[in-house]
Amino acid sequence: MKEYKIIKQKAKLRNSDGDFEDQLNSYAREGWIVKSSVAINGSSYFKIILERDKNR
């Protein structure tokens, strides 16, 4: 069985990409993989859908 998590890039004035990368790497260490990404209309931010096995 799979479980899913949706995360959104948080808006910050400085180092937004680096912070978001750190957040994704943190989830990867917990077994999450990026399943899909969606651009939010009218902005440069994303929502990311993560997936992992529920019975790890």
Side-chain angles (χ1 to χ4, degrees):
M1 177 179 262
K2 302 286 185 183
E3 64 179 327
Y4 298 90
K5 179 182 292 281
I6 299 173
I7 61 170
K8 178 182 167 190
Q9 183 179 20
K10 293 181 173 72
K12 290 186 178 178
L13 295 177
R14 297 187 336 166
N15 199 25
S16 182
D17 289 340
D19 291 342
F20 194 48
E21 183 179 336
D22 291 343
Q23 183 183 18
L24 288 173
N25 285 328
S26 176
Y27 282 117
R29 285 188 289 277
E30 295 175 9
W32 294 99
I33 60 167
V34 174
K35 185 68 173 178
S36 181
S37 63
V38 179
I40 299 172
N41 291 336
S43 74
S44 60
Y45 297 107
F46 297 93
K47 285 191 177 181
I48 304 291
I49 300 169
L50 304 173
E51 175 187 80
R52 74 176 176 183
D53 288 328
K54 188 167 182 135
N55 301 322
R56 301 178 342 119

